[in-house]
C-alpha cells in the first residue's frame, strides 16, 4: 500500500542552520524514489529553475517549469518531482519557526500570496534583472551557510531570506493586481486568512461555518460577506474544497478504500461520503480512482 510520507525539516550541518539551499539535481539524486513519490513536508520550499524545463506535481496539478520560474510550496501540500528531470536550479527549504522571529514575520508568512494564501499553486516567472537579484540573494545565503555558526549567523540568514520573500511577494502583487496588497490589510482580509488557516487544521472534525465564525468572534453573515468579497466563494465552499482535496489525496496516494477515507474525514457512513464526493466533483470516488489509475499507466 502506498502512503503519503511527511518529511520533517532536518538541519544539514548543525542545529543552528535551519535554512537549506541545495541544487535541485542533487536533491533528486539524494532523495531518490522518496522525492519522486508524492509526499508532504512540514516546511516551506522554494524552487528556482535556472536551466532546462520539466514539471512538478502539486496536488493533482502538473505545474510546468522552465528557466526563470520559481515555484512556492507550503507545508502539507502533496507534491513530487518527475523522473528523468533534466532541469537545473536551486531548492530552498526552511521551517516556519526559523522565519517567525517577530510578529511581523508571523503576519507575513500567514498572509503572503506567494505561499498560497488564496491560490492552490503559486509560480512566478523571473527574467533579467529580477532573476539576477534572486540569484544574488541565493548566493549570499550559500556563502553564509559555508561559514562557521556564530551569534550573528541566524539573523543574517533570516534577513537574506526575508529579502528574498519580500522581493517575490512584491513581484506577485505587481504582476497580478497592484491593488491586492490592500486586500490582506483589511479586516475582511484578516478574517479570510484566519478562516482558511483554521479550516486546514480542523476540516475533519468541524464542517459547520458557525464553528469558524464563533472562533473568529464574528457572525456567520459577516464571515460569509468577507470570504465572498475576497475570494468570490462562500465559507462552506472552501470547507468542501478542503474536504475534496484531502479525499483525493487519500484515495490516490494512500490507496485507502472508500470506507476508510470516509471515516478518516469524519463521515458517519461511506454512502454519505460517496454522495458528497459525487455532488462536489460530478463523479463517484470509485470513478475518480479508476480514472487516475488509467491516466498514470
Amino acid at each position: 500500500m502506498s502512503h503519503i510520507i511527511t518529511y520533517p525539516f532536518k538541519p544539514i550541518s548543525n542545529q543552528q542552520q535551519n535554512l537549506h539551499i541545495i541544487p535541485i539535481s542533487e536533491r533528486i539524486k539524494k532523495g531518490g524514489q522518496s522525492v519522486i513519490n508524492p509526499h508532504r513536508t512540514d516546511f516551506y520550499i522554494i524552487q528556482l529553475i535556472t536551466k532546462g524545463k520539466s514539471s512538478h506535481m502539486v496536488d493533482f496539478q502538473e505545474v510546468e517549469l522552465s528557466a526563470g520560474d520559481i515555484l512556492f510550496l507550503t507545508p502539507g501540500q502533496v507534491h513530487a518531482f518527475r523522473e528523468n528531470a533534466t532541469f537545473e536550479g536551486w531548492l530552498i527549504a526552511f521551517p516556519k519557526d526559523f522565519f517567525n522571529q517577530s510578529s511581523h514575520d508571523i503576519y507575513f508568512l500567514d498572509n503572503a500570496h506567494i505561499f498560497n494564501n488564496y491560490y492552490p499553486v503559486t509560480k512566478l516567472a523571473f527574467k533579467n534583472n529580477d532573476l539576477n537579484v534572486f540569484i544574488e540573494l541565493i548566493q549570499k545565503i550559500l556563502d553564509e551557510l559555508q561559514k562557521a555558526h556564530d551569534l550573528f549567523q541566524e539573523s543574517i540568514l533570516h534577513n537574506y531570506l526575508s529579502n528574498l520573500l519580500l522581493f517575490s511577494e512584491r513581484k506577485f502583487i505587481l504582476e497580478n493586481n497592484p491593488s491586492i496588497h490592500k486586500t490582506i490589510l483589511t479586516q475582511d482580509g484578516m478574517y479570510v486568512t484566519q478562516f482558511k488557516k483554521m479550516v486546514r487544521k480542523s476540516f475533519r472534525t468541524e464542517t459547520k461555518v458557525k464553528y469558524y465564525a464563533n472562533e473568529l468572534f464574528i457572525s456567520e453573515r459577516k464571515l460569509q460577506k468577507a470570504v465572498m468579497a475576497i475570494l468570490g466563494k462562500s465559507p462552506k465552499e472552501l470547507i468542501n474544497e478542503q474536504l475534496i482535496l484531502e479525499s483525493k489525496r487519500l484515495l490516490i496516494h494512500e490507496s485507502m478504500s472508500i470506507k476508510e477515507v470516509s471515516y478518516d474525514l469524519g463521515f458517519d457512513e461511506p454512502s454519505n461520503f460517496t454522495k458528497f464526493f459525487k455532488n462536489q466533483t460530478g463523479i463517484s470516488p470509485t470513478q475518480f480512482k479508476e480514472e487516475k489509475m488509467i491516466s498514470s499507466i
Side-chain angles (χ1 to χ4, degrees), residues 142-198:
L142 284 168
D143 291 343
E144 185 61 37
L145 287 171
Q146 296 303 311
K147 299 177 182 178
H149 176 76
D150 58 26
L151 293 175
F152 304 99
Q153 188 176 76
E154 185 173 356
S155 294
I156 291 172
L157 290 172
H158 181 272
N159 286 338
Y160 286 148
L161 179 61
S162 295
N163 286 332
L164 190 150
L165 297 182
L166 289 167
F167 184 68
S168 301
E169 179 72 358
R170 180 172 67 182
K171 183 173 178 61
F172 180 96
I173 290 172
L174 291 174
E175 287 189 352
N176 287 271
N177 185 344
S179 66
I180 64 174
H181 74 286
K182 299 177 182 178
T183 299
I184 63 172
L185 298 177
T186 65
Q187 189 65 60
D188 282 352
M190 288 187 279
Y191 286 146
V192 173
T193 295
Q194 290 304 311
F195 171 63
K196 291 197 71 177
K197 187 177 180 179
M198 289 190 294

Side-chain angles (χ1 to χ4, degrees), residues 3 7-8 77 85 95 101 111 139 153 155 161 173 214-215 239:
H3 178 66
Y7 293 105
Q77 286 187 295
Q101 298 185 14
N111 290 276
Q139 189 59 55
Q153 188 176 76
S155 294
L161 179 61
I173 290 172
N214 288 341
E215 289 294 302
I239 296 170

Side-chain angles (χ1 to χ4, degrees), residues 22-285:
I22 186 172
I24 290 177
S25 57
E26 185 177 340
R27 179 69 189 98
I28 295 175
K29 183 178 180 180
K30 286 185 174 180
Q33 198 62 40
S34 66
V35 298
I36 301 299
N37 292 334
H39 60 281
R40 308 182 204 242
T41 66
D42 68 357
F43 50 88
Y44 292 84
I45 295 174
I46 305 170
Q47 289 184 36
L48 165 64
I49 311 306
T50 57
K51 184 178 180 181
K53 60 176 57 178
S54 185
S55 65
H56 199 89
M57 189 283 290
V58 184
D59 278 329
F60 303 99
Q61 294 189 47
E62 203 68 29
V63 184
E64 300 298 326
L65 299 169
S66 57
D69 286 344
I70 300 176
L71 178 66
F72 299 84
L73 299 169
T74 57
Q77 286 187 295
V78 176
H79 60 100
F81 286 97
R82 290 315 189 195
E83 287 189 274
N84 304 317
T86 58
F87 62 95
E88 297 177 10
W90 296 98
L91 186 149
I92 306 165
F94 65 94
K96 178 183 291 187
D97 290 347
F98 173 78
F99 186 78
N100 286 347
Q101 298 185 14
S102 70
S103 58
H104 178 273
D105 296 334
I106 294 170
Y107 181 82
F108 176 83
L109 210 54
D110 281 345
N111 290 276
H113 292 79
I114 55 173
F115 285 122
N116 313 316
N117 193 39
Y118 304 141
Y119 309 94
V121 178
T122 302
K123 182 182 77 170
L124 294 175
F126 279 60
K127 296 180 180 180
N128 304 324
N129 187 59
D130 285 345
L131 181 59
N132 291 334
V133 170
F134 202 92
I135 292 175
E136 286 173 7
L137 286 169
I138 287 178
Q139 189 59 55
K140 288 180 181 295
I141 295 173
L142 284 168
D143 291 343
E144 185 61 37
L145 287 171
Q146 296 303 311
K147 299 177 182 178
H149 176 76
D150 58 26
L151 293 175
F152 304 99
Q153 188 176 76
E154 185 173 356
S155 294
I156 291 172
L157 290 172
H158 181 272
N159 286 338
Y160 286 148
L161 179 61
S162 295
N163 286 332
L164 190 150
L165 297 182
L166 289 167
F167 184 68
S168 301
E169 179 72 358
R170 180 172 67 182
K171 183 173 178 61
F172 180 96
I173 290 172
L174 291 174
E175 287 189 352
N176 287 271
N177 185 344
S179 66
I180 64 174
H181 74 286
K182 299 177 182 178
T183 299
I184 63 172
L185 298 177
T186 65
Q187 189 65 60
D188 282 352
M190 288 187 279
Y191 286 146
V192 173
T193 295
Q194 290 304 311
F195 171 63
K196 291 197 71 177
K197 187 177 180 179
M198 289 190 294
V199 169
R200 287 193 294 269
K201 180 180 179 181
S202 306
F203 69 93
R204 279 181 166 83
T205 56
E206 303 294 344
T207 60
K208 302 293 186 182
V209 176
K210 183 178 181 179
Y211 166 82
Y212 296 100
N214 288 341
E215 289 294 302
L216 290 167
F217 301 102
I218 59 176
S219 66
E220 289 184 65
R221 178 174 174 77
K222 189 167 185 63
L223 180 57
Q224 173 86 18
K225 290 178 66 176
V227 176
M228 187 61 69
I230 301 297
L231 301 179
K233 299 177 181 179
S234 70
K236 188 60 176 177
E237 283 181 290
L238 262 67
I239 296 170
N240 289 344
E241 285 177 0
Q242 187 66 46
L243 276 166
I244 289 297
L245 175 59
E246 189 63 21
S247 65
K248 289 179 176 179
R249 290 167 171 170
L250 298 177
L251 286 167
I252 300 302
H253 302 311
E254 297 282 4
S255 296
M256 295 171 68
S257 69
I258 293 171
K259 181 179 180 180
E260 290 171 327
V261 172
S262 66
Y263 290 136
D264 183 86
L265 295 178
F267 287 85
D268 294 331
E269 295 290 340
S271 59
N272 292 336
F273 168 67
T274 296
K275 182 179 179 180
F276 168 77
F277 191 95
K278 191 167 185 178
N279 285 340
Q280 295 295 315
T281 66
I283 59 175
S284 69

